[in-house]
Amino acid sequence: MNISISIQSDDFSHNEEYQKLCNDSPRIGAIVTFCGLVREFDDSNGKGLFLEHFAGMTEKTLENICKQAAERWPIISMRIVHRIGAMELGEQIVFVGVNSAHRKAAFHACEFIMDFLKTDAPFWKKALTKDSDYWVEAKASDTEAANTWKK
Amino acid sequence: MNISISIQSDDFSHNEEYQKLCNDSPRIGAIVTFCGLVREFDDSNGKGLFLEHFAGMTEKTLENICKQAAERWPIISMRIVHRIGAMELGEQIVFVGVNSAHRKAAFHACEFIMDFLKTDAPFWKKALTKDSDYWVEAKASDTEAANTWKK
Amino acid sequence: MLQLRFFASLRDQLNCDGESLDWNDNFSIASDVRKVLVARGTPWDTLSKSTVLIAINQEMGNDETTINDGDEIAFFPPVTGG
Amino acid sequence: MLQLRFFASLRDQLNCDGESLDWNDNFSIASDVRKVLVARGTPWDTLSKSTVLIAINQEMGNDETTINDGDEIAFFPPVTGG
């Protein structure tokens, strides 16, 4: 089981991540990828986002989430790329990709990783708008999504 | 809401499909993709697969599955590519990609489409091995997966 | 006239990918056609298996689906795509 | 000595991203440090909010987590990545 985690300010190549997930074992039957983009917000008043994180703790947390996923499902590889710093509308923020022999394992592990990334990994988003900048509030729905896995 | 369905014998570019899902609206916040590959089978006796389908009914069925997904979740676009004919080990068989403002919608719609593609779309796999060729048996777990959405 | 079609392992067993079948005024639902075919004996009796799926005019149906003169009726094994 | 760290909106409110705090033999759990900071008054009393998260040596903890001399204790608002 392989885990690759990268925290970077540069944009990433979705295709390179996918190709790595494709090629690392002949046992792979299913690849699921998630990608988060900076979408329009504040009635098109939004210009972009600034992502802050807690270096060190972020990597540890994400690795721990991946290990938990691998205990639940027969995963072959997991890859996470999360950007930090300033991003404009439409830019890629985060990539999570999982491969497995079976599709359900790949789907569920990818969703699990995203749910816990959202509630446990120390990233904070600042919204940059034409008028002002403000810290984005956490959403109760994200906590609920992570909690459904604990049942 | 856009639906793109392609049944083809040629391989497809995962990256092109992803880029189309990335670029079609500034409201997109989440993209989930599934890709199925021909994996090793029969203790490495397997050489590949041959995919047969019921032309016409396949496209209708997949479009209908996408429309049902769009009734359940706020989807922006859905793209399906399914290959037919002969494929070797490691080759891409099927792509399903969904985008939405929200990650849960994208995850669930993508999984829903795959589950019903597996049970309702008229494709049949023939396994090609060093010794013989045989039709792949349907799996009860696929029927169960589709049934969970009916609850 | 009905257009019958057979796919995958079923086609291989029947060694036939389709045929035209004259309309019969006793035909009312899909199982009426299935019975006529099964009555031909081996290998057609394989169509009596409960796992055989039926599509009428390219939409999934079942034994109870109403059929009409001119319909296309397809018989096939459980699907295995994806 | 404890190394304290503050992130995101909390850092902005405190106008401080961290400080060293002398070890005090009364320190036993994370809430002991939180109380010392809150006692400083505005803006530090924002740390009394129940939503404030605490990580000890880069692992998520809470008010009851045992602390030791030399630990790094981070305070931050709910996370919003992804």
Side-chain angles (χ1 to χ4, degrees):
Chain A
M1 187 263 301
N2 308 308
I3 297 174
S4 162
I5 292 165
S6 173
I7 311 297
Q8 59 188 59
S9 42
D10 289 343
D11 194 10
F12 55 86
S13 161
H14 189 281
N15 192 41
E16 257 174 48
E17 294 301 318
Y18 171 73
Q19 293 302 334
K20 282 174 185 158
L21 288 166
C22 244
N23 295 329
D24 68 352
S25 162
R27 291 178 295 122
I28 297 165
I31 301 167
V32 172
T33 72
F34 172 87
C35 193
L37 306 183
V38 184
R39 66 181 167 88
E40 273 187 351
F41 60 97
D42 269 7
D43 298 326
S44 11
N45 207 24
K47 291 191 303 180
L49 293 176
F50 184 88
L51 257 290
E52 176 178 334
H53 82 131
F54 181 176
M57 181 171 170
T58 311
E59 293 83 346
K60 268 195 209 178
T61 306
L62 294 177
E63 195 173 330
N64 191 32
I65 294 169
C66 288
K67 284 178 180 165
Q68 286 178 54
E71 278 173 25
R72 285 179 171 239
W73 297 283
I75 304 304
I76 298 169
S77 295
M78 288 165 275
R79 302 185 67 85
I80 302 179
V81 186
H82 202 300
R83 292 179 63 201
I84 50 172
M87 280 156 251
E88 295 182 7
L89 294 182
E91 283 195 59
Q92 301 180 131
I93 307 169
V94 58
F95 173 91
V96 175
V98 175
N99 63 25
S100 172
H102 304 290
R103 82 179 185 287
K104 284 291 173 183
F107 267 119
H108 294 167
C110 190
E111 197 176 350
F112 176 95
I113 292 170
M114 269 311 298
D115 282 349
F116 283 98
L117 183 156
K118 282 271 180 186
T119 55
D120 289 9
F123 290 104
W124 299 275
K125 277 193 188 105
K126 187 178 253 185
L128 313 176
T129 79
K130 287 169 191 157
D131 309 323
S132 64
D133 302 342
Y134 58 87
W135 291 101
V136 171
E137 297 278 330
K139 284 185 290 185
S141 60
D142 286 332
T143 309
E144 286 156 21
N147 282 340
T148 59
W149 298 104
K150 292 171 184 165
K151 279 169 194 163
Chain B
M1 188 263 300
N2 307 309
I3 296 173
S4 162
I5 292 165
S6 174
I7 311 297
Q8 58 187 60
S9 42
D10 289 343
D11 195 11
F12 56 85
S13 161
H14 189 280
N15 191 41
E16 255 175 47
E17 294 301 318
Y18 171 73
Q19 293 302 333
K20 281 174 185 158
L21 289 166
C22 244
N23 294 329
D24 68 352
S25 161
R27 291 179 296 122
I28 296 165
I31 300 167
V32 173
T33 72
F34 172 85
C35 193
L37 306 183
V38 184
R39 66 181 165 89
E40 272 187 351
F41 60 98
D42 268 6
D43 298 327
S44 15
N45 207 24
K47 293 190 303 180
L49 293 176
F50 183 88
L51 258 290
E52 174 178 335
H53 81 130
F54 181 176
M57 179 170 171
T58 310
E59 293 83 346
K60 266 195 206 177
T61 306
L62 294 176
E63 193 172 331
N64 191 31
I65 294 170
C66 287
K67 284 179 180 164
Q68 285 178 53
E71 277 174 25
R72 285 180 171 238
W73 296 283
I75 304 304
I76 298 168
S77 295
M78 287 164 279
R79 302 185 68 82
I80 301 179
V81 185
H82 202 300
R83 292 179 64 201
I84 51 173
M87 280 155 250
E88 294 182 8
L89 294 182
E91 283 195 59
Q92 301 180 132
I93 308 170
V94 57
F95 173 91
V96 174
V98 175
N99 63 24
S100 172
H102 304 289
R103 84 180 184 287
K104 283 292 173 184
F107 267 117
H108 295 167
C110 190
E111 198 177 349
F112 175 95
I113 292 170
M114 270 311 299
D115 282 349
F116 283 99
L117 183 156
K118 282 269 180 186
T119 55
D120 290 7
F123 290 104
W124 299 276
K125 278 195 188 102
K126 189 178 253 185
L128 313 176
T129 80
K130 286 169 192 158
D131 309 322
S132 64
D133 302 342
Y134 57 88
W135 292 100
V136 172
E137 296 279 329
K139 284 184 291 185
S141 60
D142 286 332
T143 309
E144 286 157 21
N147 282 340
T148 60
W149 298 104
K150 291 171 183 165
K151 280 170 191 163
Chain C
M1 190 88 92
L2 294 170
Q3 183 58 45
L4 307 188
R5 301 186 66 177
F6 310 107
F7 288 93
S9 58
L10 198 60
R11 179 200 52 233
D12 287 358
Q13 285 164 50
L14 301 176
N15 198 23
C16 170
D17 64 4
E19 64 175 271
S20 296
L21 187 72
D22 282 334
W23 179 255
N24 176 329
D25 282 337
N26 294 325
F27 285 166
S28 153
I29 55 176
S31 66
D32 297 330
V33 175
R34 197 207 274 247
K35 280 174 199 155
V36 164
L37 298 174
V38 168
R40 295 174 179 175
T42 309
W44 296 89
D45 52 358
T46 189
L47 282 163
S48 64
K49 279 190 201 153
S50 66
T51 54
V52 170
L53 300 176
I54 307 175
I56 289 98
N57 298 327
Q58 307 194 351
E59 291 215 0
M60 205 63 94
N62 58 46
D63 269 340
E64 311 305 317
T65 306
T66 303
I67 57 170
N68 294 292
D69 194 1
D71 282 352
E72 177 194 68
I73 306 185
F75 295 89
F76 45 78
V79 304
T80 56
Chain D
M1 191 88 93
L2 294 171
Q3 185 57 46
L4 306 187
R5 301 187 67 177
F6 309 107
F7 289 93
S9 57
L10 197 62
R11 179 200 51 233
D12 288 359
Q13 284 163 50
L14 301 175
N15 198 25
C16 170
D17 65 4
E19 65 175 89
S20 298
L21 187 70
D22 281 333
W23 179 256
N24 177 326
D25 283 336
N26 294 324
F27 285 167
S28 153
I29 55 175
S31 65
D32 297 331
V33 175
R34 195 206 276 248
K35 280 173 198 156
V36 163
L37 297 174
V38 168
R40 293 174 180 174
T42 310
W44 296 89
D45 51 359
T46 189
L47 283 164
S48 64
K49 279 189 203 155
S50 66
T51 54
V52 170
L53 299 176
I54 307 175
I56 289 97
N57 299 327
Q58 307 194 350
E59 291 215 0
M60 205 64 95
N62 58 45
D63 268 340
E64 310 305 317
T65 307
T66 303
I67 58 169
N68 293 293
D69 195 2
D71 282 353
E72 179 194 68
I73 306 184
F75 295 90
F76 45 78
V79 304
T80 56

